[in-house]
Amino acid sequence: MPAVIIVGAQWGDEGKGKASDQLGTQVDYVVKFNGGNNAGHTVIVDGEKFALHLLPAGILSPGCTPVIGNGVVVDLEVLFSEIAELESRGVDTSRLKISQNAHIIAPYNKKMDAMGERRLGKRKIGTTGRGIGPTYADKMNRVGLRIQDLFDESILRQKLESVLDQKNFMLEHMYEEDTFSVDEVANELLSYADRVRPMLFNSALELNRALDRGETVVFEAGQAVMLDIDHGTYPYVTSSSCTAAGACTGSGVGPRRIDRVVGVAKAYITRVGEGPFPTELFDDDGEQLRQVGGEFGTTTGRPRRTGWYDAVIARYATMVNSLTDIVITKLDVLSGWEKIPVCVAYDIDGKRVEDMPENQSDMHHAKPIYEYFDGWTEDITHCRSFEELPQNAQDYILKLEELSGCRISSIGVGPDREQTIIRHELLD
């Protein structure tokens, strides 16, 4: 099983880092293919918690090569800060590789992000303010900076002169903010050149050669399908391709080389930022999910919005990603509920809808139609086989499998790497 994609099957924060980390102990490469430091992974190894923001989860697996692919946008300050933090805790980061085609988040991108959100006011998207969207916009407008530009100072300065003409005009006349000089930005970025140079490689070439050798490569998505720029709840989305297709464009590995696509979903659902959320809870149940599940952003610390499992979204994720497997995380958080609702369809203006509405207004007006399942009170964090789960927990998983249209291969019953039930091996 040489090539496996791991994607978020909800609105992010599903536990993709744990899934990638578990596979990382058995694979040769773990590749982050989209996003930046706007969404993090929390991975717990032997009781020790690691909060990753830009780095792939494979950084914690000895013998695995972690890769930042060409589809990622890189804040160099954050990169080296995160590396320093891990190394101070005894983690070897020397294996890290970065595509020379990955784009750089420049200082002005972060400022433009913050100013854009401020200008939108009540209509804000809810970005993290880390410059992700403006950097992807520059990439598409062909005025972006790539890491390889750090090694030709004249080209770097030419690009900065061009892009800063536009950015500074907007900062001065639209936002009444301080502007940036070419020297200021160039000197800051060039200060990282010598440190980043040994990490760079031709990612498309080397990853395809690794697959030719029969080595195993895991592709790790940032964010999730409902935040995808094309297939998410636009405009309340991120600025990159978070689906399985994005793994190919963000790494240079073609789709015929992919063997398995794994979607990660919580046993309930959460969302950060603005936008529609049909099963969102505003009551004590929602707060209990937040507190018991520790639903606060790894990168931002923002409290996450919480709700019950949405099978409409799960079926949609299965379809647009061609999921072969689903990993369910945080099943243990649901222990203690007498009844557990699951959204099986939407009510949109009095009509039952079982598929994801394409119309943006319909999604905003969607009301959940629930089925209710018996809960359990037992502590399941010690369970290591499906049969050890309480019968009601087993029935819940089997129903989610049926409603989601994809087999559930793995179940998380706690935050630690070992607190996992394997029903089907992902690397068979």
Side-chain angles (χ1 to χ4, degrees), residues 119-248:
R119 190 174 182 85
L120 285 171
K122 292 187 295 184
R123 300 184 303 277
K124 66 181 180 179
I125 303 299
T127 76
T128 60
R130 284 161 169 75
I132 308 299
T135 304
Y136 277 115
D138 283 357
K139 177 178 180 177
M140 295 305 170
N141 285 325
R142 299 177 294 269
V143 294
L145 306 176
R146 298 192 293 183
I147 292 181
Q148 60 178 276
D149 294 331
L150 298 179
F151 308 106
D152 190 324
E153 186 173 345
S154 64
I155 286 180
L156 176 66
R157 288 181 175 275
Q158 287 175 36
K159 288 187 173 184
L160 284 173
E161 287 173 4
S162 176
V163 73
L164 284 177
D165 281 345
Q166 178 196 64
K167 305 299 183 188
N168 283 340
F169 181 87
M170 294 176 67
L171 286 169
E172 182 177 357
H173 298 286
M174 287 181 61
Y175 302 128
E176 298 181 340
E177 290 286 330
D178 293 338
T179 58
F180 292 86
S181 71
V182 171
D183 284 344
E184 173 189 2
V185 178
N187 291 340
E188 178 178 337
L189 297 180
L190 288 169
S191 71
Y192 298 107
D194 289 342
R195 282 191 285 171
V196 79
R197 188 191 295 269
M199 304 174 186
L200 300 188
F201 79 140
N202 184 331
S203 57
L205 180 63
E206 294 303 322
L207 291 173
N208 277 283
R209 284 180 172 174
L211 291 171
D212 290 341
R213 295 191 296 268
E215 296 180 15
T216 304
V217 180
V218 167
F219 301 86
E220 170 194 298
Q223 292 86 31
V225 60
M226 298 307 293
L227 293 175
D228 182 84
I229 187 67
D230 288 295
H231 302 291
T233 48
Y234 189 90
Y236 302 100
V237 294
T238 192
S239 301
S240 61
S241 296
C242 319
T243 59
C248 298

Side-chain angles (χ1 to χ4, degrees), residues 79 81 128 160 171 183 198 222 230 256 265 298 304 330 411 426:
L79 172 69
S81 175
T128 60
L160 284 173
L171 286 169
D183 284 344
D230 288 295
R256 288 200 301 166
T298 301
R304 296 172 185 147
K330 293 195 170 183
I411 306 160
L426 295 176

